[in-house]
Amino acid sequence: KKYAVFAVPVREGDHISGALGVMIDLHELQHLMDRTFDLPPDYIWYVVNKHGIGMLHSDPSLIFFEPAMHGDESMKNAMHAITGNLSGKVNYTFAGRHTQAVFQKLTFNNWRLALAKTTEYTDETGIPDAEVTLGELSRGMQQELERMDVRLSEGVQKFNNRFPDEALARKVFRELFDDIPYAYSFALINADGIMTVREPGAFYGYEGHDIRHQKDFQKVMATQKPRLTASFRTVEGFNA
């Protein structure tokens, strides 16, 4: 079995008084990711850290494997490119097979995720399937975020350039909730940082909460521009 420990500091004001750690079974995580990707037989996926050590791999025997230490010059060059760039495409030979991979930096922990196609050794042929798939996912995500942005803007326009009363706010929020299938909750926050209206009904109990201390609220008030927040602690008690 192979494990990794993830840890975060425990803070008391500016003082770090300890840490919270969790041991992760990488084999179980690998199985979960494998089921999620569900790739064709000639494709593999893997994750390497900034040192080029395999943290996860579609072949669990290669977890903690250092490919640059065991491959040829093409493998060493590929690992150097993967760990040294935010995204890109590499070609290399490993275990007698030609491998062509696209990779991208994960936002978490400076790791790189690679999606690769393995073939019997031939001249370079490219891997359009992987690139097309990544491109489609990226475009689809962008389009969905833009669609949500448009719907929120349309909702605000219904307020007719004034802070809405409760009835109007609830009507607009309910319409948006029905129209955006992944919406979780809505909040109307006044200039003093008070949540005056929450929807849907499960969140009525959080009305009246003061969030003026939250940096993203302060940023919106200062810039008066749309914003996608950083991670923050919600009044409901979880990170969002």
Side-chain angles (χ1 to χ4, degrees):
K1 287 287 187 179
K2 296 171 182 174
Y3 301 88
V5 175
F6 294 82
V8 294
V10 176
R11 300 180 184 274
E12 296 182 29
D14 296 329
H15 175 65
I16 297 177
S17 60
L20 172 65
V22 56
M23 183 173 283
I24 301 295
D25 184 329
L26 293 177
H27 287 269
E28 291 299 323
L29 181 56
Q30 180 271 334
H31 290 320
L32 173 64
M33 297 298 292
D34 234 12
R35 293 193 297 271
T36 301
F37 284 130
D38 192 24
L39 297 172
D42 55 344
Y43 281 87
I44 62 171
W45 65 271
Y46 55 89
V47 175
V48 296
N49 67 11
K50 63 182 179 180
H51 302 296
I53 299 173
M55 303 305 296
L56 291 167
H57 199 289
S58 52
D59 180 353
S61 68
L62 295 179
I63 295 175
F64 292 162
F65 184 73
E66 295 186 58
M69 299 290 292
H70 301 277
D72 62 11
E73 197 65 25
S74 70
M75 181 79 260
K76 295 177 183 178
N77 292 336
M79 281 297 109
H80 181 73
I82 291 173
T83 56
N85 294 280
L86 300 181
S87 63
K89 181 170 69 174
V90 291
N91 296 271
Y92 55 90
T93 305
F94 187 74
R97 298 175 69 85
H98 188 53
T99 304
Q100 302 160 301
V102 290
F103 65 91
Q104 186 165 330
K105 179 184 179 296
L106 300 175
T107 56
F108 175 79
N109 220 31
N110 206 26
W111 289 358
R112 267 66 171 172
L113 169 65
L115 176 63
K117 183 177 182 181
T118 60
T119 62
E120 296 299 336
Y121 188 81
T122 60
D123 293 332
E124 292 186 11
T125 57
I127 49 172
D129 290 349
E131 290 191 88
V132 168
T133 299
L134 288 174
E136 288 178 349
L137 287 172
S138 177
R139 286 191 298 274
M141 174 65 73
Q142 185 64 40
Q143 289 170 359
E144 197 57 42
L145 290 173
E146 289 174 354
R147 175 180 176 274
M148 182 178 68
D149 186 57
V150 169
R151 291 294 292 114
L152 292 178
S153 297
E154 291 173 348
V156 169
Q157 290 173 12
K158 295 179 180 179
F159 294 163
N160 296 319
N161 295 317
R162 63 182 178 84
F163 195 80
D165 58 32
E166 178 181 348
L168 177 59
R170 293 198 188 283
K171 179 177 182 295
V172 171
F173 285 169
R174 288 165 184 166
E175 290 174 352
L176 289 171
F177 188 78
D178 290 339
D179 189 56
I180 304 174
Y182 44 82
Y184 179 70
S185 70
F186 292 86
L188 178 67
I189 306 151
N190 67 19
D192 295 322
I194 305 300
M195 290 183 165
T196 61
V197 176
R198 293 293 306 271
E199 283 290 342
F203 299 93
Y204 288 176
Y206 297 101
E207 293 176 353
H209 273 262
D210 185 346
I211 66 163
R212 65 185 137 183
H213 63 283
Q214 291 186 4
K215 292 182 179 179
D216 286 293
F217 170 75
Q218 296 170 358
K219 194 78 172 180
V220 169
M221 294 300 294
T223 64
Q224 299 185 28
K225 294 180 179 180
R227 180 170 179 82
L228 179 63
T229 72
S231 178
F232 70 98
R233 193 72 172 174
T234 67
V235 297
E236 294 93 327
F238 56 84
N239 290 329

